[in-house]
Amino acid sequence: MINMARMCCHHRGSQSSHALALFLLLVTSIALSSALVATSPNNPSSSSSSSSLFNTIKTASVINPQTGKTSTPFDENNDEEEGTKKKKSLVILLPQLGEFDSSEFCEQIIAVQDELTSNDITLKVIGIGETRAATEFCNFSGLSLDVLFVDPDASLHDALQLKRGPGWTLSDDISDGLLKFGLSTLPGGVPEDERLLRPTANAWLNYLAMCAGIGAPGTLKEILRGYFGDMSAPERFGSDDIVKAGFIEIGPGVGPVKIGPLTYSQWWGDEKGYQRPVELATVRLKNMVEVLTKWNTYVTNPTVIDRRGATYLFDENGKVLYEYQHKGVLTYSETMSRPLSFLTPYINKDKARNPLGFADTGGNADDNKSKRGRGILKPAGKAMGLLKPIFSYENKIQAQVLDVEDADAASARKEIEDAISQNDVVIYTYGLSPFSSEALGVLDEAGCSNYKKIELGLEWFLLGKEASAKRLELLKMTGQSSLPHVFIGGKHIGGLFTGTAEGGPGLAALKESGELEKMIEAASSREKESDE
């Protein structure tokens, strides 16, 4: 829980993070011992009508960052003139402009702005912050200042009774000194005005609690989704995007990583069409770096850092077509895999489901779960390469124990060569091996229905003399010590994730690149030509 809170609160340095953890542990312990005073739930009244909701927003006092003057979101001076066609209104209330949610959500909104305009939907975005924050936010995110308004004190958020986590208030028994110590570890530090000490501490308390999943349904799930990926979501990080955070550099794309002098490529870097592991977390890292380096510009009123946002879509007469209140941190949509799905009845469906236009395998979770050659087996398969010397030695010892002689080896090699020459695709497997089962699934998924499966046994330690001889000959022929072995068109292409000595990437990588289908088709064409 504390680690999640550290991540969401943008901790600064090891000393600060330890103090932050202590602060969170302290206030959480106090909460559990009922030393906190719980406020009443801050849910909106279900009896409020559409018209009153629209009027509350329409008449709200906000600041136009282009003029620096007080305005209303639907001021006739910055909207269409009277007498023109009435339009629907999409109103986005953001939390602090300097927060994960704001830039992440607006990246999606910006991508559909032309679609909104062409479908007669007016966009209004209202965020917590000052005019400087608005300018900085638009420079970073690309959002137009024409549609952004700021509410420095979250007055509209409070009028709409938007969520603010568990709604805790610190007990008066907690000393100011202890609060100052805790706040000193957080971005922004201790407020200069003593009167803001407790309101700021209360706001941070609720924000930290939300980061830990308290009073924030969906937050922990969303944090994990950022790290573990999402088969039902499209890609999220551009192939030419680069993120730099201190001595860490990620990119271009999701593959290459530099940590100081260490350089490596993430194992899912070759995968396409879905949100890969840590891909969304990388986007959030980019946003975090922007905020942390400009904290005092983005967050000028930390007493409202716990306020969440909301999304409203109104028809031409102010009737609510869609309403959603953000439930916690990183929960700015009911459908986080595809945050703008609620717009599918009103704009182009494909654009609403995939605003950024990155590669997308279709978004059917059931279909995507059947995609073979991905998931937890991949790092395990990659690790097998490190065990090659051990497997090679064990392979030879097993053959000796089972008295495999030269004649047995020669017979085994001939059977292997005959199988390879007589079949388009040959795969040698173990019956109990998950890697073998996955490899068979990859071939099935690629449309290969005529492969020759040769099962040497249930597992390597259950092999008999003949199977052990074949295993040893496969090692000598290919240099690969593990199964499965896959041959296409008479050529060894490696295992599921294991490549070849010549640099071939292996079966799963060939599938990801689209080369597997081509190789299978070429092998099939070769056989047809030989028959003719």
Side-chain angles (χ1 to χ4, degrees):
M1 181 178 72
I2 293 172
N3 288 335
M4 291 297 183
R6 288 179 186 169
M7 190 279 290
C8 287
C9 293
H10 328 309
H11 62 285
R12 303 176 300 173
S14 59
Q15 182 176 358
S16 295
S17 65
H18 289 313
L20 171 57
L22 179 61
F23 180 61
L24 178 58
L25 182 60
L26 171 67
V27 296
T28 304
S29 298
I30 294 172
L32 294 176
S33 63
S34 301
L36 294 169
V37 179
T39 62
S40 58
N42 53 341
N43 295 324
S45 171
S46 58
S47 62
S48 59
S49 66
S50 292
S51 58
S52 64
L53 179 60
F54 182 73
N55 286 331
T56 298
I57 296 173
K58 183 178 179 180
T59 59
S61 178
V62 292
I63 295 175
N64 183 333
Q66 295 185 96
T67 64
K69 297 180 179 179
T70 301
S71 176
T72 61
F74 290 87
D75 191 317
E76 63 180 9
N77 293 324
N78 52 57
D79 278 319
E80 61 272 11
E81 297 179 0
E82 270 188 62
T84 60
K85 179 181 177 181
K86 286 187 175 182
K87 299 181 179 181
K88 298 181 182 69
S89 303
L90 175 61
V91 180
I92 307 291
L93 271 76
L94 300 174
Q96 294 275 354
L97 291 178
E99 193 173 327
F100 281 120
D101 301 48
S102 299
S103 50
E104 187 176 318
F105 192 15
C106 280
E107 186 179 5
Q108 305 268 344
I109 294 295
I110 293 166
V112 300
Q113 205 163 342
D114 289 342
E115 277 287 322
L116 295 173
T117 301
S118 62
N119 286 278
D120 294 324
I121 301 175
T122 300
L123 174 65
K124 304 292 180 181
V125 181
I126 305 167
I128 301 173
E130 301 278 0
T131 55
R132 285 191 308 149
T135 301
E136 202 69 58
F137 181 78
C138 288
N139 289 339
F140 173 69
S141 68
L143 185 69
S144 171
L145 275 171
D146 293 337
V147 301
L148 179 63
F149 299 85
V150 288
D151 182 4
D153 301 318
S155 301
L156 178 56
H157 295 65
D158 289 344
L160 294 172
Q161 295 181 291
L162 299 187
K163 300 182 187 300
R164 49 184 291 260
W168 286 341
T169 301
L170 285 162
S171 169
D172 291 338
D173 294 335
I174 301 175
S175 69
D176 288 355
L178 190 57
L179 294 183
K180 289 179 180 179
F181 167 74
L183 291 174
S184 69
T185 71
L186 298 168
V190 180
E192 294 181 2
D193 189 338
E194 288 281 339
R195 294 172 298 178
L196 300 180
L197 179 63
R198 287 189 175 272
T200 299
N202 285 331
W204 268 114
L205 170 64
N206 285 295
Y207 185 79
L208 289 169
M210 285 188 285
C211 291
I214 301 171
T219 290
L220 294 184
K221 178 182 177 182
E222 185 57 24
I223 291 172
L224 294 175
R225 192 177 75 91
Y227 285 108
F228 289 100
D230 184 351
M231 287 286 191
S232 66
E235 291 182 18
R236 193 60 180 76
F237 194 61
S239 59
D240 57 349
D241 284 352
I242 296 176
V243 172
K244 294 181 179 180
F247 57 87
I248 300 174
E249 179 177 317
I250 302 173
V254 299
V257 177
K258 293 181 182 178
I259 303 178
L262 176 64
T263 301
Y264 68 94
S265 183
Q266 301 182 100
W267 70 72
W268 53 83
D270 61 336
E271 297 179 3
K272 306 292 181 185
Y274 77 103
Q275 182 192 302
R276 284 78 48 100
V278 310
E279 184 174 6
L280 182 54
T282 302
V283 173
R284 290 167 179 168
L285 174 64
K286 177 181 68 174
N287 296 338
M288 181 184 75
V289 171
E290 165 69 11
V291 171
L292 278 179
T293 55
K294 302 171 184 177
W295 180 267
N296 291 332
T297 297
Y298 277 116
V299 183
T300 54
N301 185 358
T303 66
V304 291
I305 200 170
D306 56 347
R307 299 320 194 262
R308 300 298 87 204
T311 301
Y312 303 100
L313 181 64
F314 298 100
D315 72 4
E316 295 82 354
N317 299 310
K319 179 182 178 181
V320 175
L321 297 174
Y322 176 82
E323 175 183 2
Y324 171 71
Q325 290 195 9
H326 308 179
K327 297 177 181 179
V329 177
L330 297 176
T331 58
Y332 52 80
S333 172
E334 286 182 289
T335 53
M336 288 298 292
S337 294
R338 296 176 184 273
L340 302 188
S341 292
F342 71 93
L343 287 173
T344 53
Y346 309 102
I347 66 173
N348 178 276
K349 179 180 177 181
D350 292 336
K351 192 68 175 176
R353 286 174 54 77
N354 184 10
L356 302 178
F358 290 140
D360 184 3
T361 51
N364 185 309
D366 293 332
D367 287 346
N368 281 310
K369 286 177 182 176
S370 70
K371 293 293 182 183
R372 301 301 189 121
R374 295 174 174 175
I376 194 63
L377 280 179
K378 195 165 189 177
K382 295 286 187 181
M384 287 294 178
L386 302 176
L387 302 178
K388 180 179 177 180
I390 297 175
F391 284 142
S392 298
Y393 181 72
E394 172 274 318
N395 197 332
K396 296 171 184 176
I397 293 297
Q398 183 186 53
Q400 290 177 6
V401 171
L402 295 174
D403 293 325
V404 174
E405 299 178 352
D406 291 343
D408 300 314
S411 176
R413 179 173 287 250
K414 185 174 186 312
E415 287 188 34
I416 294 171
E417 291 173 344
D418 287 346
I420 294 171
S421 64
Q422 294 169 10
N423 296 276
D424 297 343
V425 179
V426 180
I427 178 169
Y428 287 87
T429 69
Y430 293 137
L432 297 179
S433 165
F435 299 104
S436 293
S437 299
E438 191 76 359
L440 292 170
V442 169
L443 291 174
D444 290 334
E445 204 170 68
C448 181
S449 58
N450 62 338
Y451 57 80
K452 174 73 172 178
K453 184 183 81 166
I454 301 174
E455 185 175 307
L456 295 187
L458 293 178
E459 258 297 351
W460 66 267
F461 51 85
L462 298 174
L463 299 184
K465 182 176 181 179
E466 182 180 340
S468 181
K470 288 181 180 179
R471 182 185 178 216
L472 182 59
E473 288 307 302
L474 285 167
L475 171 62
K476 292 177 180 178
M477 293 169 65
T478 67
Q480 178 183 313
S481 60
S482 60
L483 265 65
H485 280 274
V486 184
F487 295 84
I488 299 179
K491 179 182 178 182
H492 183 249
I493 66 161
L496 177 60
F497 302 113
T498 307
T500 64
E502 295 77 21
L507 185 66
L510 287 171
K511 184 210 77 169
E512 293 291 347
S513 67
E515 289 299 312
L516 179 59
E517 290 85 352
K518 296 177 183 177
M519 293 180 69
I520 293 171
E521 184 178 353
S524 178
S525 299
R526 182 195 66 167
E527 183 178 4
K528 290 178 182 178
E529 291 174 2
S530 64
D531 290 341
E532 294 174 356

